[in-house]
Amino acid sequence: MARTFLVSTIIPTYNRVDLVQRAIDSALAQTRPVDEIVVVDDGSTDGTGDVLRSRYGDAIQYHWQANTGVSAARNRGMALARGDYFALLDSDDIWLPDKTRVQAAFLDAHPHIGMVLCDVARVDADGAPIDVFRRRDAIPRDGWVLADVLMNPALAPASAMFRREVYAQTGGFDTTLRTAEDIDFHLRVARQWQIGVVETTLVEAMRGHDGLSAEPGTYDDYVRVVERAVADCAGVVDDAVRNRALAATYARNARGMLIGRRWADAWRLARRAWTVAPDAGARRELLGLAAFAARRAAATAMGR
């Protein structure tokens, strides 16, 4: 008889009493039922605990802790979880009904893969579609994909399912990072484990509301995380790829800083990108960034 692998759902939340119920409901509605739902309340003051205990009772494990951040909440949830497979679900996201069935079946069939990802439908705060984050665009194959992840380490935590051993080996999320903890986790997993993708949209993620990813400091954390990962994989990933990843990171976050009118910081990153850009194509992209900067500056001067 084939072994049955247990799936644990880990949901961190903070002052999202309405949204977290949507997330929990989506976990309870899976076609392959989850084996436990661990909710870690990171110090909510909006009555989350009373509402969840009253509505769900023993259907979830509810744990309250003093506010220490999403990484600490996820880590505590994983430390409490009993499953073979861990599936993360942020309280402002929802799973589509086949999420755990498809990803658990993938891990069952591919014992060498540590983590499997899926496509993500991104929506605004009103539920209107924005776009679909297609994982194959950044990760073209299954297996050892560190070089690909370096080029684009973006991770929607709700899209991931991974083995308990991945958490044990990586230590979970870096609690010293306020933002970019998700890309840091993605990079560290890719350094130590093979990663797979199911080319199916299984998650709906809300964007453009009160998420931490909207904070200005995200750009600084993003750069710091990628620089650390690039240094860590010296001798493992080709130097040209490492330089290209740095150039892409600097350019991507310089653009974000320009949008936030952080002119000096954007110029600093753009100069770094030009220094490490390994080919003419990358430098042409940077010249395009200069044109974007000029447009932003003109718009600012006109008060827009």
Side-chain angles (χ1 to χ4, degrees), residues 121-180:
R122 293 186 281 209
V123 302
D124 66 19
D126 296 321
I130 298 174
D131 59 16
V132 175
F133 180 28
R134 301 193 186 281
R135 295 316 319 233
R136 277 292 182 229
D137 292 345
I139 301 176
R141 65 192 182 283
D142 297 337
W144 294 107
V145 294
L146 176 59
D148 300 304
V149 175
L150 280 172
M151 292 301 301
N152 186 354
L155 175 71
S159 72
M161 181 182 287
F162 48 91
R163 301 180 189 279
R164 167 183 288 277
E165 293 83 359
V166 170
Y167 161 67
Q169 187 169 352
T170 62
F173 289 80
D174 185 344
T175 58
T176 68
L177 292 167
R178 177 166 173 77
T179 61

Short mmCIF file of all heavy atoms in Angstrom, two decimals, residues 121-180:
data_model
loop_
_atom_site.label_atom_id
_atom_site.label_comp_id
_atom_site.label_asym_id
_atom_site.label_seq_id
_atom_site.Cartn_x
_atom_site.Cartn_y
_atom_site.Cartn_z
N ALA A 121 -2.55 33.80 -10.01
CA ALA A 121 -3.38 34.88 -10.54
C ALA A 121 -3.32 36.04 -9.55
O ALA A 121 -3.70 35.89 -8.39
CB ALA A 121 -4.82 34.41 -10.72
N ARG A 122 -2.84 37.19 -10.02
CA ARG A 122 -2.75 38.36 -9.16
C ARG A 122 -3.95 39.26 -9.39
O ARG A 122 -4.30 39.56 -10.53
CB ARG A 122 -1.43 39.09 -9.40
CG ARG A 122 -0.24 38.25 -8.97
CD ARG A 122 1.09 38.97 -9.05
NE ARG A 122 1.61 39.03 -10.41
CZ ARG A 122 2.92 39.07 -10.71
NH1 ARG A 122 3.82 39.05 -9.73
NH2 ARG A 122 3.32 39.14 -11.96
N VAL A 123 -4.58 39.67 -8.28
CA VAL A 123 -5.80 40.49 -8.34
C VAL A 123 -5.61 41.71 -7.45
O VAL A 123 -4.75 41.73 -6.56
CB VAL A 123 -7.04 39.69 -7.89
CG1 VAL A 123 -7.22 38.45 -8.76
CG2 VAL A 123 -6.94 39.30 -6.41
N ASP A 124 -6.45 42.75 -7.69
CA ASP A 124 -6.38 43.93 -6.83
C ASP A 124 -7.27 43.73 -5.61
O ASP A 124 -7.87 42.67 -5.41
CB ASP A 124 -6.73 45.19 -7.61
CG ASP A 124 -8.18 45.23 -8.10
OD1 ASP A 124 -9.03 44.48 -7.56
OD2 ASP A 124 -8.47 46.02 -9.02
N ALA A 125 -7.35 44.77 -4.78
CA ALA A 125 -8.09 44.65 -3.52
C ALA A 125 -9.58 44.39 -3.73
O ALA A 125 -10.26 43.91 -2.82
CB ALA A 125 -7.89 45.92 -2.69
N ASP A 126 -10.08 44.71 -4.93
CA ASP A 126 -11.49 44.45 -5.24
C ASP A 126 -11.70 43.11 -5.93
O ASP A 126 -12.83 42.77 -6.32
CB ASP A 126 -12.04 45.57 -6.12
CG ASP A 126 -12.05 46.92 -5.41
OD1 ASP A 126 -12.36 46.94 -4.21
OD2 ASP A 126 -11.72 47.93 -6.06
N GLY A 127 -10.61 42.35 -6.14
CA GLY A 127 -10.71 41.05 -6.79
C GLY A 127 -10.62 41.10 -8.30
O GLY A 127 -10.75 40.06 -8.97
N ALA A 128 -10.37 42.28 -8.87
CA ALA A 128 -10.25 42.40 -10.32
C ALA A 128 -8.90 41.86 -10.77
O ALA A 128 -7.88 42.12 -10.13
CB ALA A 128 -10.40 43.85 -10.75
N PRO A 129 -8.85 41.12 -11.89
CA PRO A 129 -7.58 40.53 -12.34
C PRO A 129 -6.55 41.60 -12.71
O PRO A 129 -6.88 42.64 -13.28
CB PRO A 129 -8.00 39.73 -13.59
CG PRO A 129 -9.47 39.53 -13.46
CD PRO A 129 -10.00 40.73 -12.75
N ILE A 130 -5.30 41.31 -12.34
CA ILE A 130 -4.16 42.14 -12.75
C ILE A 130 -3.37 41.41 -13.81
O ILE A 130 -3.21 41.89 -14.93
CB ILE A 130 -3.26 42.49 -11.55
CG1 ILE A 130 -4.04 43.29 -10.49
CG2 ILE A 130 -2.02 43.25 -12.01
CD1 ILE A 130 -3.26 43.54 -9.21
N ASP A 131 -2.87 40.22 -13.47
CA ASP A 131 -2.12 39.41 -14.42
C ASP A 131 -1.95 38.01 -13.84
O ASP A 131 -2.49 37.71 -12.77
CB ASP A 131 -0.74 40.03 -14.74
CG ASP A 131 0.13 40.20 -13.50
OD1 ASP A 131 -0.15 39.59 -12.44
OD2 ASP A 131 1.13 40.95 -13.57
N VAL A 132 -1.22 37.17 -14.55
CA VAL A 132 -0.89 35.83 -14.05
C VAL A 132 0.62 35.71 -14.00
O VAL A 132 1.31 35.98 -14.99
CB VAL A 132 -1.48 34.72 -14.94
CG1 VAL A 132 -1.02 33.34 -14.46
CG2 VAL A 132 -3.01 34.79 -14.94
N PHE A 133 1.14 35.36 -12.84
CA PHE A 133 2.57 35.14 -12.64
C PHE A 133 2.85 33.70 -13.06
O PHE A 133 2.50 32.76 -12.35
CB PHE A 133 2.90 35.38 -11.17
CG PHE A 133 4.34 35.18 -10.79
CD1 PHE A 133 5.37 35.38 -11.71
CD2 PHE A 133 4.68 34.81 -9.50
CE1 PHE A 133 6.70 35.21 -11.35
CE2 PHE A 133 6.00 34.64 -9.13
CZ PHE A 133 7.01 34.84 -10.06
N ARG A 134 3.44 33.54 -14.24
CA ARG A 134 3.70 32.21 -14.79
C ARG A 134 5.12 31.78 -14.45
O ARG A 134 6.09 32.37 -14.90
CB ARG A 134 3.47 32.21 -16.30
CG ARG A 134 2.05 32.61 -16.66
CD ARG A 134 1.70 32.34 -18.11
NE ARG A 134 0.39 32.87 -18.43
CZ ARG A 134 -0.77 32.29 -18.12
NH1 ARG A 134 -0.77 31.13 -17.46
NH2 ARG A 134 -1.93 32.85 -18.44
N ARG A 135 5.23 30.72 -13.66
CA ARG A 135 6.53 30.32 -13.12
C ARG A 135 7.49 29.84 -14.20
O ARG A 135 8.70 29.98 -14.06
CB ARG A 135 6.35 29.23 -12.07
CG ARG A 135 5.60 29.65 -10.82
CD ARG A 135 6.03 31.00 -10.28
NE ARG A 135 7.44 31.20 -10.34
CZ ARG A 135 8.22 31.56 -9.30
NH1 ARG A 135 7.69 31.76 -8.14
NH2 ARG A 135 9.51 31.73 -9.44
N ARG A 136 6.96 29.25 -15.28
CA ARG A 136 7.85 28.76 -16.34
C ARG A 136 8.58 29.90 -17.05
O ARG A 136 9.61 29.68 -17.67
CB ARG A 136 7.07 27.95 -17.36
CG ARG A 136 6.85 26.52 -16.96
CD ARG A 136 8.16 25.73 -16.95
NE ARG A 136 7.94 24.34 -16.61
CZ ARG A 136 8.61 23.66 -15.70
NH1 ARG A 136 9.58 24.24 -15.03
NH2 ARG A 136 8.35 22.40 -15.46
N ASP A 137 8.07 31.12 -16.94
CA ASP A 137 8.77 32.25 -17.55
C ASP A 137 10.13 32.47 -16.90
O ASP A 137 11.06 32.96 -17.54
CB ASP A 137 7.93 33.52 -17.43
CG ASP A 137 6.67 33.48 -18.28
OD1 ASP A 137 6.59 32.60 -19.16
OD2 ASP A 137 5.77 34.31 -18.06
N ALA A 138 10.23 32.16 -15.61
CA ALA A 138 11.49 32.36 -14.88
C ALA A 138 12.23 31.07 -14.62
O ALA A 138 13.45 31.07 -14.49
CB ALA A 138 11.20 33.07 -13.55
N ILE A 139 11.49 29.95 -14.50
CA ILE A 139 12.09 28.65 -14.21
C ILE A 139 11.74 27.72 -15.36
O ILE A 139 10.69 27.06 -15.35
CB ILE A 139 11.59 28.10 -12.85
CG1 ILE A 139 11.93 29.07 -11.73
CG2 ILE A 139 12.19 26.72 -12.57
CD1 ILE A 139 11.38 28.67 -10.37
N PRO A 140 12.58 27.65 -16.40
CA PRO A 140 12.20 26.95 -17.63
C PRO A 140 12.22 25.43 -17.55
O PRO A 140 11.73 24.76 -18.45
CB PRO A 140 13.25 27.45 -18.64
CG PRO A 140 14.43 27.82 -17.82
CD PRO A 140 13.86 28.35 -16.52
N ARG A 141 12.76 24.89 -16.47
CA ARG A 141 12.85 23.43 -16.35
C ARG A 141 12.79 23.07 -14.87
O ARG A 141 13.00 23.92 -14.00
CB ARG A 141 14.17 22.93 -16.95
CG ARG A 141 15.38 23.44 -16.19
CD ARG A 141 16.70 23.21 -16.90
NE ARG A 141 17.82 23.67 -16.10
CZ ARG A 141 18.17 24.94 -15.96
NH1 ARG A 141 17.48 25.90 -16.56
NH2 ARG A 141 19.20 25.30 -15.20
N ASP A 142 12.54 21.81 -14.57
CA ASP A 142 12.58 21.32 -13.20
C ASP A 142 14.00 20.83 -12.89
O ASP A 142 14.70 20.34 -13.77
CB ASP A 142 11.60 20.16 -13.02
CG ASP A 142 10.16 20.57 -13.24
OD1 ASP A 142 9.86 21.78 -13.11
OD2 ASP A 142 9.34 19.69 -13.56
N GLY A 143 14.40 20.94 -11.63
CA GLY A 143 15.71 20.41 -11.24
C GLY A 143 16.51 21.44 -10.48
O GLY A 143 15.98 22.21 -9.67
N TRP A 144 17.82 21.45 -10.76
CA TRP A 144 18.72 22.41 -10.10
C TRP A 144 18.63 23.73 -10.86
O TRP A 144 19.16 23.87 -11.95
CB TRP A 144 20.15 21.88 -10.10
CG TRP A 144 20.31 20.65 -9.25
CD1 TRP A 144 20.49 19.38 -9.68
CD2 TRP A 144 20.31 20.60 -7.82
NE1 TRP A 144 20.58 18.52 -8.61
CE2 TRP A 144 20.48 19.23 -7.45
CE3 TRP A 144 20.17 21.54 -6.80
CZ2 TRP A 144 20.52 18.81 -6.13
CZ3 TRP A 144 20.20 21.12 -5.48
CH2 TRP A 144 20.38 19.78 -5.15
N VAL A 145 17.94 24.70 -10.29
CA VAL A 145 17.58 25.92 -11.03
C VAL A 145 18.10 27.18 -10.34
O VAL A 145 17.56 28.27 -10.53
CB VAL A 145 16.06 26.00 -11.23
CG1 VAL A 145 15.58 24.86 -12.13
CG2 VAL A 145 15.31 25.97 -9.89
N LEU A 146 19.18 27.06 -9.57
CA LEU A 146 19.69 28.22 -8.85
C LEU A 146 20.00 29.37 -9.79
O LEU A 146 19.70 30.53 -9.48
CB LEU A 146 20.93 27.83 -8.04
CG LEU A 146 21.64 28.98 -7.29
CD1 LEU A 146 20.68 29.66 -6.32
CD2 LEU A 146 22.88 28.45 -6.56
N ALA A 147 20.62 29.09 -10.94
CA ALA A 147 20.98 30.16 -11.87
C ALA A 147 19.72 30.90 -12.34
O ALA A 147 19.73 32.13 -12.47
CB ALA A 147 21.74 29.58 -13.07
N ASP A 148 18.65 30.18 -12.60
CA ASP A 148 17.40 30.81 -13.03
C ASP A 148 16.79 31.63 -11.90
O ASP A 148 16.28 32.74 -12.13
CB ASP A 148 16.40 29.75 -13.49
CG ASP A 148 16.93 28.92 -14.65
OD1 ASP A 148 17.29 29.51 -15.68
OD2 ASP A 148 16.99 27.68 -14.51
N VAL A 149 16.82 31.09 -10.69
CA VAL A 149 16.23 31.81 -9.56
C VAL A 149 17.03 33.07 -9.25
O VAL A 149 16.46 34.10 -8.87
CB VAL A 149 16.14 30.88 -8.33
CG1 VAL A 149 15.64 31.64 -7.10
CG2 VAL A 149 15.19 29.71 -8.62
N LEU A 150 18.35 33.03 -9.42
CA LEU A 150 19.15 34.24 -9.23
C LEU A 150 18.69 35.37 -10.14
O LEU A 150 18.66 36.54 -9.75
CB LEU A 150 20.63 33.95 -9.49
CG LEU A 150 21.44 33.29 -8.38
CD1 LEU A 150 22.82 32.93 -8.91
CD2 LEU A 150 21.56 34.22 -7.17
N MET A 151 18.32 35.02 -11.37
CA MET A 151 17.90 36.03 -12.33
C MET A 151 16.53 36.62 -11.97
O MET A 151 16.25 37.79 -12.26
CB MET A 151 17.84 35.43 -13.74
CG MET A 151 19.19 35.05 -14.31
SD MET A 151 20.33 36.45 -14.44
CE MET A 151 19.40 37.55 -15.50
N ASN A 152 15.68 35.83 -11.33
CA ASN A 152 14.36 36.31 -10.94
C ASN A 152 13.89 35.53 -9.72
O ASN A 152 13.20 34.52 -9.85
CB ASN A 152 13.36 36.17 -12.08
CG ASN A 152 12.02 36.79 -11.75
OD1 ASN A 152 11.77 37.24 -10.62
ND2 ASN A 152 11.12 36.84 -12.73
N PRO A 153 14.25 35.98 -8.51
CA PRO A 153 13.95 35.20 -7.31
C PRO A 153 12.56 35.42 -6.73
O PRO A 153 12.26 34.95 -5.64
CB PRO A 153 15.02 35.68 -6.33
CG PRO A 153 15.27 37.09 -6.74
CD PRO A 153 15.12 37.13 -8.24
N ALA A 154 11.70 36.12 -7.45
CA ALA A 154 10.36 36.41 -6.93
C ALA A 154 9.66 35.12 -6.51
O ALA A 154 9.72 34.11 -7.21
CB ALA A 154 9.53 37.14 -7.98
N LEU A 155 8.98 35.17 -5.37
CA LEU A 155 8.26 34.01 -4.86
C LEU A 155 6.97 34.46 -4.20
O LEU A 155 6.99 35.33 -3.32
CB LEU A 155 9.10 33.24 -3.83
CG LEU A 155 8.41 32.07 -3.14
CD1 LEU A 155 8.21 30.92 -4.11
CD2 LEU A 155 9.18 31.60 -1.91
N ALA A 156 5.87 33.90 -4.63
CA ALA A 156 4.62 34.04 -3.90
C ALA A 156 4.55 32.87 -2.92
O ALA A 156 4.40 31.72 -3.35
CB ALA A 156 3.43 34.02 -4.85
N PRO A 157 4.72 33.11 -1.61
CA PRO A 157 4.76 31.98 -0.67
C PRO A 157 3.57 31.03 -0.79
O PRO A 157 3.73 29.82 -0.64
CB PRO A 157 4.79 32.68 0.70
CG PRO A 157 5.50 33.98 0.43
CD PRO A 157 4.99 34.40 -0.94
N ALA A 158 2.39 31.57 -1.11
CA ALA A 158 1.20 30.71 -1.21
C ALA A 158 1.28 29.75 -2.38
O ALA A 158 0.49 28.81 -2.46
CB ALA A 158 -0.05 31.56 -1.34
N SER A 159 2.23 29.96 -3.30
CA SER A 159 2.37 29.06 -4.46
C SER A 159 3.27 27.87 -4.18
O SER A 159 3.40 26.99 -5.03
CB SER A 159 2.94 29.84 -5.65
OG SER A 159 4.32 30.15 -5.45
N ALA A 160 3.89 27.83 -3.00
CA ALA A 160 4.90 26.81 -2.71
C ALA A 160 4.35 25.68 -1.85
O ALA A 160 3.57 25.90 -0.92
CB ALA A 160 6.09 27.45 -1.99
N MET A 161 4.77 24.46 -2.18
CA MET A 161 4.63 23.32 -1.29
C MET A 161 5.99 22.65 -1.25
O MET A 161 6.64 22.49 -2.28
CB MET A 161 3.57 22.33 -1.76
CG MET A 161 3.40 21.13 -0.82
SD MET A 161 2.17 19.91 -1.39
CE MET A 161 0.65 20.81 -1.09
N PHE A 162 6.46 22.31 -0.05
CA PHE A 162 7.79 21.74 0.06
C PHE A 162 7.84 20.70 1.17
O PHE A 162 6.95 20.63 2.03
CB PHE A 162 8.85 22.83 0.30
CG PHE A 162 8.51 23.83 1.39
CD1 PHE A 162 8.90 23.61 2.69
CD2 PHE A 162 7.81 24.98 1.08
CE1 PHE A 162 8.59 24.52 3.69
CE2 PHE A 162 7.50 25.91 2.06
CZ PHE A 162 7.89 25.68 3.37
N ARG A 163 8.88 19.90 1.13
CA ARG A 163 9.04 18.83 2.10
C ARG A 163 9.48 19.38 3.46
O ARG A 163 10.16 20.40 3.53
CB ARG A 163 10.08 17.82 1.59
CG ARG A 163 9.70 17.21 0.26
CD ARG A 163 10.74 16.21 -0.24
NE ARG A 163 10.42 15.84 -1.62
CZ ARG A 163 9.51 14.94 -1.97
NH1 ARG A 163 8.87 14.26 -1.03
NH2 ARG A 163 9.26 14.68 -3.24
N ARG A 164 9.10 18.68 4.49
CA ARG A 164 9.52 19.06 5.84
C ARG A 164 11.03 19.22 5.92
O ARG A 164 11.55 20.12 6.60
CB ARG A 164 9.05 17.99 6.84
CG ARG A 164 9.68 18.08 8.23
CD ARG A 164 9.23 16.94 9.12
NE ARG A 164 7.85 17.13 9.51
CZ ARG A 164 7.46 17.90 10.52
NH1 ARG A 164 8.34 18.58 11.24
NH2 ARG A 164 6.19 18.00 10.82
N GLU A 165 11.77 18.37 5.20
CA GLU A 165 13.23 18.42 5.23
C GLU A 165 13.79 19.72 4.69
O GLU A 165 14.87 20.16 5.07
CB GLU A 165 13.82 17.24 4.44
CG GLU A 165 13.55 15.86 5.05
CD GLU A 165 12.18 15.30 4.69
OE1 GLU A 165 11.41 15.98 3.97
OE2 GLU A 165 11.88 14.17 5.13
N VAL A 166 13.05 20.36 3.77
CA VAL A 166 13.49 21.66 3.25
C VAL A 166 13.49 22.69 4.36
O VAL A 166 14.45 23.46 4.53
CB VAL A 166 12.58 22.10 2.09
CG1 VAL A 166 12.87 23.54 1.69
CG2 VAL A 166 12.76 21.17 0.89
N TYR A 167 12.43 22.72 5.14
CA TYR A 167 12.37 23.62 6.29
C TYR A 167 13.48 23.30 7.28
O TYR A 167 14.17 24.19 7.78
CB TYR A 167 11.01 23.53 6.96
CG TYR A 167 10.99 24.05 8.38
CD1 TYR A 167 11.19 25.39 8.66
CD2 TYR A 167 10.81 23.17 9.46
CE1 TYR A 167 11.19 25.86 9.97
CE2 TYR A 167 10.79 23.63 10.76
CZ TYR A 167 11.00 24.97 11.00
OH TYR A 167 11.01 25.43 12.29
N ALA A 168 13.67 22.01 7.57
CA ALA A 168 14.67 21.61 8.56
C ALA A 168 16.07 22.03 8.11
O ALA A 168 16.89 22.48 8.94
CB ALA A 168 14.62 20.11 8.78
N GLN A 169 16.36 21.90 6.82
CA GLN A 169 17.71 22.21 6.34
C GLN A 169 17.95 23.71 6.19
O GLN A 169 19.03 24.21 6.48
CB GLN A 169 17.97 21.52 5.00
CG GLN A 169 19.41 21.65 4.53
CD GLN A 169 19.71 20.75 3.35
OE1 GLN A 169 18.90 19.91 2.96
NE2 GLN A 169 20.88 20.89 2.77
N THR A 170 16.94 24.45 5.73
CA THR A 170 17.13 25.89 5.51
C THR A 170 16.92 26.71 6.77
O THR A 170 17.39 27.84 6.86
CB THR A 170 16.15 26.41 4.45
OG1 THR A 170 14.80 26.21 4.91
CG2 THR A 170 16.36 25.71 3.11
N GLY A 171 16.19 26.15 7.73
CA GLY A 171 15.88 26.92 8.93
C GLY A 171 14.71 27.87 8.76
O GLY A 171 14.46 28.71 9.62
N GLY A 172 14.00 27.76 7.65
CA GLY A 172 12.84 28.61 7.43
C GLY A 172 13.22 29.99 6.95
O GLY A 172 14.21 30.19 6.25
N PHE A 173 12.43 30.98 7.35
CA PHE A 173 12.58 32.35 6.87
C PHE A 173 13.50 33.16 7.79
O PHE A 173 13.55 32.94 8.99
CB PHE A 173 11.21 33.03 6.76
CG PHE A 173 10.37 32.49 5.64
CD1 PHE A 173 9.66 31.30 5.79
CD2 PHE A 173 10.29 33.15 4.43
CE1 PHE A 173 8.88 30.80 4.76
CE2 PHE A 173 9.52 32.65 3.39
CZ PHE A 173 8.82 31.47 3.55
N ASP A 174 14.22 34.11 7.19
CA ASP A 174 15.17 34.95 7.91
C ASP A 174 14.39 36.03 8.67
O ASP A 174 13.83 36.95 8.07
CB ASP A 174 16.14 35.59 6.91
CG ASP A 174 17.24 36.40 7.59
OD1 ASP A 174 17.11 36.73 8.79
OD2 ASP A 174 18.24 36.73 6.91
N THR A 175 14.37 35.94 9.98
CA THR A 175 13.58 36.87 10.80
C THR A 175 14.24 38.24 10.92
O THR A 175 13.62 39.16 11.45
CB THR A 175 13.35 36.29 12.20
OG1 THR A 175 14.62 36.03 12.82
CG2 THR A 175 12.55 35.00 12.14
N THR A 176 15.46 38.40 10.43
CA THR A 176 16.11 39.72 10.47
C THR A 176 15.66 40.60 9.31
O THR A 176 15.96 41.81 9.29
CB THR A 176 17.64 39.60 10.44
OG1 THR A 176 18.07 39.11 9.16
CG2 THR A 176 18.14 38.66 11.53
N LEU A 177 14.97 40.02 8.33
CA LEU A 177 14.50 40.78 7.17
C LEU A 177 13.05 41.18 7.39
O LEU A 177 12.19 40.34 7.65
CB LEU A 177 14.60 39.93 5.91
CG LEU A 177 16.01 39.59 5.42
CD1 LEU A 177 15.94 38.50 4.35
CD2 LEU A 177 16.71 40.83 4.85
N ARG A 178 12.76 42.47 7.24
CA ARG A 178 11.37 42.91 7.33
C ARG A 178 10.63 42.61 6.03
O ARG A 178 9.45 42.24 6.05
CB ARG A 178 11.29 44.41 7.65
CG ARG A 178 9.86 44.93 7.68
CD ARG A 178 9.73 46.29 8.30
NE ARG A 178 8.39 46.83 8.16
CZ ARG A 178 7.33 46.46 8.88
NH1 ARG A 178 7.48 45.53 9.82
NH2 ARG A 178 6.15 46.99 8.70
N THR A 179 11.32 42.79 4.90
CA THR A 179 10.76 42.45 3.60
C THR A 179 11.79 41.63 2.83
O THR A 179 12.92 41.46 3.28
CB THR A 179 10.42 43.72 2.79
OG1 THR A 179 11.61 44.49 2.57
CG2 THR A 179 9.41 44.59 3.52
N ALA A 180 11.40 41.14 1.66
CA ALA A 180 12.27 40.32 0.79
C ALA A 180 12.64 38.98 1.43
O ALA A 180 13.51 38.28 0.93
CB ALA A 180 13.53 41.08 0.37
#
